[in-house]
Amino acid sequence: PSLNSKRNFHSAIAFKQRYIYVIAGFNGGQRTNMIERLDTYFDSEWTITEINLSNLKMQSNKKWACLEGCGLFTVDTTKILIFGGYTSSEK
C-alpha cells in the first residue's frame, strides 16, 4: 500500500517481525517528522503514529526535529533508536 505522505530520504525499519515503520524524510517541499506504521499481519493501509513526547528520550539540549536520512536500530522489543540524520540548516 502507498504511504499517507510521499517522501524520499526517509528511514525504514522492520520491528518485531510484524511492523514496518517509515520515519521522517523529505516530501518534495519540506521535511516531515511523520512516522507511519504498517502492521503486516492485519493492516492494508499505513497508519500515522503520533510521537509520545513524554516517552521520547533525547539528549537534554535537543528536541525532536524533522530529519532526512536518520539511522534506526532496534534496541529491544519495545524501543527503536533514532539517530543521526541531517537538516539543511546544518553545515
Side-chain angles (χ1 to χ4, degrees), residues 18-81:
R18 176 178 177 174
Y19 303 103
I20 300 171
Y21 284 89
V22 173
I23 297 174
F26 184 75
N27 68 11
Q30 62 186 0
R31 275 180 232 83
T32 178
N33 62 0
M34 185 181 296
I35 298 175
E36 295 192 51
R37 182 183 83 175
L38 180 70
D39 182 334
T40 60
Y41 290 177
F42 299 108
D43 292 344
S44 60
E45 297 180 352
W46 290 88
T47 56
I48 298 171
T49 301
E50 296 296 325
I51 300 170
N52 183 344
L53 294 176
S54 64
N55 290 333
L56 192 61
K57 296 184 179 178
M58 309 188 72
Q59 278 183 307
S60 60
N61 62 341
K62 300 289 182 181
K63 63 180 181 175
W64 171 248
C66 305
L67 296 174
E68 298 174 38
C70 56
L72 304 173
F73 179 78
T74 301
V75 176
D76 59 31
T77 59
T78 63
K79 297 179 189 120
I80 297 172
L81 174 66

